[in-house]
Amino acid sequence: MSEGKSGATPLEGDGKRILLILGTPKKDSLCHALADAYTHGARGKGHVVRQLRLGEMQFDPILRDGYEQSQSLEPDLLEAQRLIHWAEHLVFVYPVWWGGIPALLKGFFDRVFLPGFAFKYRNRSQLWDKLLSGRSADLLVTMDTPRWYFRWIYDAPAHRQMVRTILGFCGIKTRRLNEFAPVRPSGEEQRQSWLRKAETLGSSV
């Protein structure tokens, strides 16, 4: 399969083009294991999976001057944009920290999801074009907070940010949001169950 083909190009074969983005700066974590399990499940069904591990990439996560001045993209971010165009389906695996997504993942969005790439404002209008439309997404999210507490007490701020104000804004439709929580008190049996679930999610893209 040619990696140079964009997400709009018909598939070669039966598999989907999947880009998994591991959005944690940690070198080893439950998120890593979930990402590998999802990848194993997807590849077992003939899908083509590429991974971006943000903690191993070299880039400045700070958008220094907003959109008012251009900021040259590092080679790793140019490759990320190429893979996002290539992909039909995106998978984001990340922890919730302080009710939101990690700073590294937010910085990735700030630097990569730029006007002209992810969205484009229309002239003399408050409306915009969603330039990444046609792609779907799965979210695999770890938390120490119990799921019910995060949703009903905190109002799930990280989920709303990802689904609505980042991915939805650019035309990416979140298909499944999966919470793995609470992590801190979990035992080995629970974690193995979560890994099996992640593999099942990958095999049922």
Side-chain angles (χ1 to χ4, degrees), residues 108-149:
F108 175 82
F109 286 124
D110 287 347
R111 295 293 317 284
V112 172
F113 280 38
L114 298 172
F117 172 79
F119 66 95
K120 181 180 179 181
Y121 286 117
R122 299 174 186 175
N123 291 333
R124 300 174 182 174
S125 172
Q126 294 183 334
L127 300 177
W128 68 98
D129 295 319
K130 301 177 180 182
L131 301 183
L132 298 179
S133 294
R135 293 168 178 80
S136 58
D138 280 343
L139 309 183
L140 280 65
V141 185
T142 64
M143 303 185 297
D144 283 333
T145 306
R147 291 182 296 173
W148 69 268
Y149 198 95

Side-chain angles (χ1 to χ4, degrees), residues 17 95 114 188:
R17 297 185 299 275
L114 298 172
E188 182 63 22

Side-chain angles (χ1 to χ4, degrees), residues 143 145-154 179:
M143 303 185 297
T145 306
R147 291 182 296 173
W148 69 268
Y149 198 95
F150 189 69
R151 184 175 303 275
W152 297 110
I153 304 301
Y154 290 152
E179 299 164 316

Side-chain angles (χ1 to χ4, degrees), residues 33-72:
L34 292 170
D36 288 342
Y38 187 105
T39 298
H40 184 265
R43 287 176 175 166
K45 293 296 184 178
H47 303 303
V48 179
V49 185
R50 306 281 186 260
Q51 285 194 10
L52 289 176
R53 299 188 172 215
L54 300 192
E56 299 176 6
M57 295 170 58
Q58 299 296 318
F59 67 95
D60 181 358
I62 301 174
L63 185 64
R64 299 287 172 175
D65 295 297
Y67 298 143
E68 296 177 1
Q69 298 185 30
S70 62
Q71 185 173 342
S72 297

